[in-house]
Amino acid sequence: RNAERCHILPGITSNKPRKTSTVEIQTGKFSITSLPVHLAVSPAAERLRYILGDDEETMPTPTLFTEMDTLQHEGDELEWRESARWVKFEEKVEEGGERWSKPHVSTLSLHSLFELRTCLQTGTVLLDLEGYSLPQIVDDIIERQIEEGLIGPELRDKISFVLLRKHRHQTKKPIHRSFADLGKSGSGGSECSIFKTVPVSPSIPTHIVHNSRSMNDIAESPSTDQLKNKFMKKIPRDAEASNVLVGEVDFLEKPFVAFVRLSQAATLGGLTEVPVPTRFLFVLLGPLGKAKSYNEIGRAIATLMVDDLFSDVAYKARDREDLIAGIDEFLDEVIVLPPGEWDPKIRIEPPKKIPSADNRKSVFSLNELGQMNGTAGGRGPVSEDEVMPAPHELGEELAYTGRFCGGLVLDIKRKLPWYPSDFYEGFHIQSISAVLFIYLGCITNAITFGGLLGDATDNYQGVMESFLGTALAGTVFCLFSGQPLIILSSTGPILIFEKLLYEFSKNNGIDYMELRLWIGMHSCVQCIFLVATDASYIIKYMTRFTEEGFSSLISFIFISDAIKKMVGAFKYYPINIDFKPDYVTAYKCECLAPDPSKFILGWTTPALNVTALDWTQLSKKECVKYGGSLVGKSCKYVPDLALMSFILFFGTYTMTVTLKKFKFSRYFPTKLRKLISDFSIFMSIMTFVGLDMLIGLQTPKLIVPTDFKPTRAGRGWFVMPFGKNPWWVYVASSVPALLVTILIFMDQQISAVIVNRKENKLKKGCGYHLDLLWVGVLMVACSFMGLPWYVAATVISIAHIDSLKMESESSAPGEQPQFLGVREQRLTGILVFVLTGVSIFLFIPMPVLYGVFLYMGVASLGGIQFWDRIKLIMMPAKHQPDFSYLRHVPLRRVHLFTLVQIVCLAVLWILKSTFLAIIFPVMV
């Protein structure tokens, strides 16, 4: 009784060690013995090892779509009605029959698995049957049963009649449809009706079997409804079907069981809901009174058929015993839910991330002799990188060749075959959203750093130079670099270096632009030397500890800068905190005329008689211009602008975050949700730009120079290398150039490592040497034109990758879309920088762009383990997520590791905030 009530979760691997004692389970006619795996392999596992262990060169088995049909009585007619289906998870036809249930994890009774095992032991098993039509397959099954003495010849016609009844599938859409379904064409057909279980025993009178109707009532070819079924989108193209037929009849005294595997998958007419060729067929007909038991056995075999391991066994089984071994191994992996502690009516939601079956399959490889469910000590194999940061694996991209320019040559050979696809693969609607998002980030960066450079260098470099340099360097880099997903930008340490260099030049009477040109040339030569000697291979010693510290620092800089700029708006437009509504009449601002006795002789002109002016009617600018003074409590306050700026800033950020998560919402069809998510940044910006225009307040706007000329009057677009500085400056400039080279090397390569990390599933390879070469060459070009220097921008590059992530389009019902990789191409980067170069007449409020900055910083923290561990410090143990490293590392050790990382991050933050920022890369 307990076995019947007990339910199990199929296909979930236990991480606990198996006991050394031998456990024997007995029920009915069979017993299962579980041997101690870490001492010896069980007979079932040994058998599966030889079935699955030699398949390294064979093609992977197709995905199985499983459909279960139950025998129903409709008046005097019999028919098979679809009751459930599986791709990965189970979907049932609800009792009302008008809809499918939500996909859920199949929960099976333990007893049904034992009975299934008995059915396969005692029934007919036909492997690699040559079958092309259902009548022929049914005849072969019945013939084999008669030969084996399982049924008498007199039952041939009755069984054949039952098995060849027509199949009614659940394809019709309900009359009342939700708004989300509007726009979807229905695939309903006349073959579908409301599913009702009629409790009438399916008796088969002789006159029905021998009447004028054909014994074969099933359609020989797929119907129009099957061909138009939208559910095909959820099934992979190479999928095959397994059909489960269960029912009770009154002419059998013992169950009629058959398991069939066809040698070639065949489309068996109207047998399956979708036009997918059938490979497997399981038939169970039994005496009256056990319909529920038959149904549970059918669900058990259907669940087994979609289990990754058992489906491999089913495809490669050589005999009945191989199938039995597959069931034994399945039983060995299941987890039992006690009946008194769990309600079997509850449908378990599919997990967000489905565990891979590779770990279960690997133990059966002939080359693997490891433990089945973890080691004897109770711990499964855990990679070092999973527990604590480990050095990067040394791939061919970072291999030390020992040859002159060896790494560079390999980078070019690696990237050249992909060059055409780097352009045509960019033509996708997702690329448009990525371009809009990254473009706004780049122009915000260009404006910000351009303004700061103008202040630091007395306008030798300003906003115009920043825009032009960003466009030039970025476009060339995206065209020819090894990793075009990297976005170039100015960085904080380079800004500090420029400021110190300008002050040094000014104090020592040296021409700043010429000195900067020679530093750029020396740095380029040093970068080329590093490329030629394969120096980038030292990046393999960069652990995740360093990566996380670096990327966290850059993310925090973005967040803090956005907040600081927003706080600056409150300083520029202060709010009157002493405002009292009752004294509103006292809030005014008047222009008072200056004292006539203080007028300077000759100040007045015939055109302007100061004494005749109506000072109360002058504007604020005119009042100050003519020497008047502003008096009143409201002169300094513009509260509307500060509040409006905050609304634009925080509104843009929150709306972007909300819309970005919209693809996981329950509303609207999948494609529309994904479209909203992809264009979340653009929609948020347009919304709040529109709000700003509607309100009409004079909020600070993005100021883009419209005249194409250098910011500083008197300097040209090209810097001459000789004539303004002593000869020794040209040689001595190699010393500060060494600092710049270290800065660029570390900044560029660490950002490249973060972009190229294996979690992003990049398939076209990377080019560390090629990237560094182009950064060095662009330094010289920018130095000659007096433009800022550019290097990989970590946060914007991560945002670029996030905006180009691809997910599987056809996912099984209940299955989360799988991350497939990144849309690797050069088009988005090129378009971003071309648009940056032609950016004029922009009227975007600056608070909106600060909101984009804040979103970039927060979003880039999402995939950093360091940030997850910081949050763990504030969580009680019972509320902590189930991270893999928490299973294997003591919590106090994790906190200590995090604390060390926080201290290092604080040191870097302090460094970058002072004049010592130029040694920032050395500290990294």
Side-chain angles (χ1 to χ4, degrees):
R1 279 200 303 274
N2 283 340
E4 289 178 12
R5 293 168 58 214
C6 207
H7 282 67
I8 63 167
L9 291 174
I12 300 177
T13 306
S14 171
N15 288 323
K16 297 181 179 179
R18 300 181 182 177
K19 297 182 179 179
T20 55
S21 58
T22 299
V23 179
E24 191 170 285
I25 303 173
Q26 292 186 349
T27 177
K29 299 179 181 179
F30 63 90
S31 65
I32 304 169
T33 302
S34 177
L35 295 178
V37 175
H38 67 276
L39 296 178
V41 179
S42 67
E46 188 67 35
R47 179 179 283 270
L48 295 190
R49 173 179 292 176
Y50 285 98
I51 299 173
L52 306 178
D54 56 353
D55 62 343
E56 292 181 0
E57 297 182 0
T58 58
M59 295 292 291
T61 54
T63 302
L64 279 177
F65 165 73
T66 303
E67 176 183 324
M68 187 172 86
D69 294 356
T70 54
L71 187 62
Q72 300 294 325
H73 197 274
E74 184 72 24
D76 291 335
E77 299 293 335
L78 289 174
E79 66 180 9
W80 294 97
R81 290 188 186 173
E82 186 177 13
S83 59
R85 67 185 180 191
W86 290 254
V87 179
K88 282 187 180 295
F89 301 102
E90 180 177 4
E91 292 177 273
K92 291 182 179 179
V93 177
E94 300 287 23
E95 290 182 7
E98 290 188 359
R99 58 176 284 171
W100 285 102
S101 71
K102 286 184 65 177
H104 54 277
V105 177
S106 298
T107 50
L108 310 173
S109 67
L110 196 58
H111 194 66
S112 66
L113 282 169
F114 293 151
E115 288 185 317
L116 172 62
R117 190 179 189 279
T118 303
C119 287
L120 289 181
Q121 279 184 323
T122 58
T124 297
V125 174
L126 295 173
L127 301 179
D128 296 328
L129 176 69
E130 295 289 341
Y132 302 100
S133 68
L134 189 59
Q136 177 230 318
I137 294 170
V138 168
D139 287 343
D140 290 344
I141 294 171
I142 296 173
E143 192 64 37
R144 177 63 67 88
Q145 289 256 354
I146 294 173
E147 289 176 6
E148 295 176 354
L150 298 176
I151 61 170
E154 70 279 1
L155 296 177
R156 180 196 300 270
D157 290 344
K158 291 184 177 181
I159 293 175
S160 181
F161 177 83
V162 170
L163 294 180
L164 295 179
R165 295 304 86 208
K166 71 177 180 181
H167 289 252
R168 188 168 294 195
H169 303 294
Q170 183 64 25
T171 57
K172 188 177 181 181
K173 296 284 183 183
I175 296 173
H176 304 288
R177 301 169 67 187
S178 67
F179 285 112
D181 289 327
L182 297 180
K184 290 184 179 180
S185 59
S187 59
S190 59
E191 276 201 356
C192 180
S193 67
I194 295 177
F195 181 91
K196 293 183 180 179
T197 303
V198 183
V200 180
S201 63
S203 175
I204 304 178
T206 308
H207 73 275
I208 292 182
V209 177
H210 297 291
N211 66 1
S212 59
R213 290 186 55 190
S214 167
M215 183 177 286
N216 182 3
D217 198 18
I218 189 170
E220 295 182 359
S221 58
S223 65
T224 306
D225 298 326
Q226 289 172 281
L227 297 173
K228 291 183 178 180
N229 196 338
K230 301 294 182 183
F231 191 70
M232 277 298 292
K233 293 180 180 179
K234 299 289 185 181
I235 303 174
R237 290 185 178 180
D238 61 344
E240 296 178 350
S242 63
N243 293 89
V244 177
L245 308 177
V246 295
E248 55 178 0
V249 291
D250 61 353
F251 55 82
L252 289 176
E253 296 180 357
K254 60 180 181 178
F256 174 91
V257 181
F259 179 88
V260 178
R261 182 182 71 202
L262 301 180
S263 59
Q264 295 292 330
T267 302
L268 303 179
L271 181 64
T272 312
E273 173 192 351
V274 285
V276 174
T278 295
R279 173 74 74 162
F280 297 96
L281 190 65
F282 178 82
V283 179
L284 171 58
L285 294 176
L288 297 176
K290 292 188 176 181
K292 183 178 179 182
S293 177
Y294 302 152
N295 192 65
E296 288 301 308
I297 294 172
R299 288 183 61 247
I301 186 63
T303 305
L304 276 165
M305 294 307 295
V306 295
D307 177 69
D308 288 333
L309 184 60
F310 187 85
S311 65
D312 280 1
V313 174
Y315 270 99
K316 294 164 186 172
R318 298 159 298 186
D319 52 33
R320 184 195 309 266
E321 294 306 317
D322 288 347
L323 294 173
I324 301 297
I327 294 180
D328 288 348
E329 182 54 35
F330 185 87
L331 281 163
D332 205 32
E333 296 288 339
V334 297
I335 294 175
V336 177
L337 294 172
E341 301 174 18
W342 176 73
D343 183 2
K345 294 180 182 178
I346 294 174
R347 289 173 179 168
I348 300 176
E349 292 279 338
K352 290 185 178 180
K353 186 176 181 182
I354 302 173
S356 173
D358 293 340
N359 292 335
R360 292 173 62 199
K361 293 179 182 179
S362 66
V363 299
F364 302 119
S365 172
L366 292 174
N367 300 322
E368 296 276 349
L369 297 175
Q371 284 80 11
M372 299 274 285
N373 278 346
T375 60
R379 289 173 54 177
V382 179
S383 65
E384 185 183 356
D385 187 58
E386 209 174 13
V387 180
M388 287 297 171
H392 282 275
E393 295 178 7
L394 180 59
E396 65 168 342
E397 296 95 345
L398 291 175
Y400 181 68
T401 63
R403 300 190 303 273
F404 180 76
C405 292
L408 177 63
V409 171
L410 288 176
D411 282 352
I412 295 172
K413 286 182 178 178
R414 189 183 304 113
K415 298 301 294 186
L416 206 54
W418 297 105
Y419 200 73
S421 68
D422 283 345
F423 288 93
Y424 64 74
E425 287 182 5
F427 290 95
H428 191 274
I429 191 168
Q430 187 182 20
S431 300
I432 300 174
S433 64
V435 167
L436 293 172
F437 176 29
I438 303 305
Y439 163 67
L440 290 166
C442 281
I443 61 172
T444 308
N445 226 19
I447 289 283
T448 304
F449 279 102
L452 293 172
L453 275 169
D455 294 339
T457 64
D458 198 14
N459 283 332
Y460 274 105
Q461 298 174 69
V463 175
M464 176 55 76
E465 286 80 6
S466 183
F467 264 76
L468 183 60
T470 300
L472 173 66
T475 304
V476 172
F477 187 84
C478 285
L479 273 171
F480 304 111
S481 67
Q483 183 47 274
L485 296 176
I486 290 174
I487 300 294
L488 295 190
S489 175
S490 297
T491 62
I494 288 180
L495 174 65
I496 299 291
F497 181 86
E498 296 272 21
K499 184 177 182 180
L500 294 175
L501 186 64
Y502 177 74
E503 290 176 354
F504 173 81
S505 303
K506 186 177 179 181
N507 295 335
N508 292 276
I510 297 174
D511 186 76
Y512 163 67
M513 297 303 285
E514 189 177 293
L515 172 62
R516 185 177 178 276
L517 169 60
W518 278 93
I519 290 175
M521 289 194 291
H522 281 295
S523 186
C524 174
V525 171
Q526 291 165 3
C527 285
I528 292 173
F529 175 77
L530 292 174
V531 170
T533 56
D534 287 354
S536 294
Y537 86 96
I538 67 170
I539 296 298
K540 75 176 188 290
Y541 298 112
M542 202 69 67
T543 65
R544 196 166 68 193
F545 179 98
T546 308
E547 275 182 47
E548 290 178 345
F550 180 80
S551 54
S552 298
L553 176 70
I554 306 300
S555 300
F556 288 144
I557 289 173
F558 264 66
I559 294 170
S560 67
D561 281 357
I563 294 173
K564 275 195 287 189
K565 290 178 186 301
M566 195 60 246
V567 171
F570 282 83
K571 290 181 179 178
Y572 194 76
Y573 305 112
I575 294 176
N576 187 359
I577 58 176
D578 295 325
F579 176 81
K580 292 181 176 60
D582 193 40
Y583 298 149
V584 68
T585 53
Y587 290 97
K588 58 183 178 178
C589 184
E590 293 182 349
C591 180
L592 297 183
D595 188 350
S597 63
K598 296 181 180 179
F599 283 165
I600 301 172
L601 186 64
W603 184 81
T604 59
T605 62
L608 178 65
N609 188 349
V610 176
T611 56
L613 281 175
D614 184 359
W615 291 89
T616 60
Q617 301 301 314
L618 294 181
S619 68
K620 178 180 176 181
K621 288 183 178 179
E622 289 172 339
C623 181
V624 174
K625 178 180 178 182
Y626 300 143
S629 57
L630 296 166
V631 178
K633 290 187 176 182
S634 63
C635 289
K636 297 180 181 178
Y637 301 110
V638 194
D640 293 342
L641 293 185
L643 180 60
M644 189 64 191
S645 295
F646 180 77
I647 291 172
L648 296 177
F649 166 73
F650 195 68
T652 303
Y653 169 73
T654 51
M655 185 175 177
T656 301
V657 171
T658 304
L659 293 183
K660 200 70 180 174
K661 296 178 180 177
F662 196 77
K663 64 181 174 182
F664 303 113
S665 164
R666 298 175 184 269
Y667 303 103
F668 305 117
T670 306
K671 287 185 177 179
L672 181 58
R673 292 202 308 266
K674 191 173 186 307
L675 198 65
I676 291 173
S677 177
D678 287 342
F679 284 86
S680 57
I681 301 281
F682 180 71
M683 292 171 67
S684 302
I685 290 173
M686 290 298 101
T687 299
F688 285 95
V689 167
L691 178 64
D692 180 71
M693 293 174 66
L694 185 66
I695 301 296
L697 290 175
Q698 296 299 312
T699 51
K701 299 295 191 292
L702 175 65
I703 302 170
V704 180
T706 54
D707 295 331
F708 186 72
K709 62 181 181 180
T711 306
R712 185 183 176 92
R715 64 149 284 199
W717 279 120
F718 291 96
V719 179
M720 294 296 105
F722 302 104
K724 293 185 178 180
N725 288 331
W727 65 269
W728 57 268
V729 172
Y730 309 143
V731 180
S733 56
S734 61
V735 177
L738 185 60
L739 274 175
V740 176
T741 303
I742 295 172
L743 187 152
I744 285 178
F745 179 83
M746 299 296 285
D747 232 350
Q748 173 68 36
Q749 302 299 50
I750 292 177
S751 298
V753 164
I754 293 169
V755 167
N756 294 320
R757 57 172 44 152
K758 60 185 179 182
E759 295 96 284
N760 292 328
K761 296 185 179 179
L762 302 181
K763 298 175 182 177
K764 296 185 178 180
C766 45
Y768 293 94
H769 313 279
L770 186 57
D771 289 347
L772 186 61
L773 174 69
W774 278 109
V775 169
V777 170
L778 288 169
M779 275 198 71
V780 173
C782 290
S783 299
F784 268 105
M785 295 183 67
L787 306 177
W789 293 325
Y790 294 93
V791 73
T794 309
V795 169
I796 301 181
S797 299
I798 293 173
H800 191 205
I801 282 181
D802 286 341
S803 64
L804 291 169
K805 285 185 174 179
M806 298 183 295
E807 292 177 335
S808 55
E809 293 183 1
S810 64
S811 56
E815 181 185 16
Q816 295 289 335
Q818 300 297 307
F819 172 55
L820 302 178
V822 178
R823 200 174 300 283
E824 298 177 65
Q825 37 72 49
R826 299 177 185 270
L827 208 56
T828 54
I830 293 171
L831 287 175
V832 162
F833 292 114
V834 168
L835 284 174
T836 303
V838 297
S839 294
I840 55 174
F841 307 120
L842 291 178
F843 298 100
I844 300 176
M846 289 305 292
V848 170
L849 294 181
Y850 299 153
V852 174
F853 244 49
L854 179 64
Y855 172 76
M856 280 186 172
V858 173
S860 61
L861 287 174
I864 301 176
Q865 190 200 84
F866 172 49
W867 181 240
D868 292 335
R869 284 188 273 108
I870 288 177
K871 292 188 287 187
L872 285 179
I873 297 174
M874 296 174 282
M875 287 185 196
K878 64 180 179 180
H879 295 306
Q880 291 174 353
D882 186 21
F883 294 130
S884 57
Y885 50 83
L886 291 180
R887 296 184 181 187
H888 306 281
V889 183
L891 189 59
R892 65 182 183 279
R893 199 77 173 172
V894 174
H895 289 339
L896 177 62
F897 184 82
T898 307
L899 184 62
V900 173
Q901 223 168 348
I902 290 173
V903 171
C904 291
L905 180 63
V907 171
L908 287 178
W909 184 275
I910 294 168
L911 272 177
K912 76 97 194 170
S913 305
T914 66
F915 69 94
L916 294 173
I918 54 173
I919 65 167
F920 164 80
V922 181
M923 294 305 295
V924 171

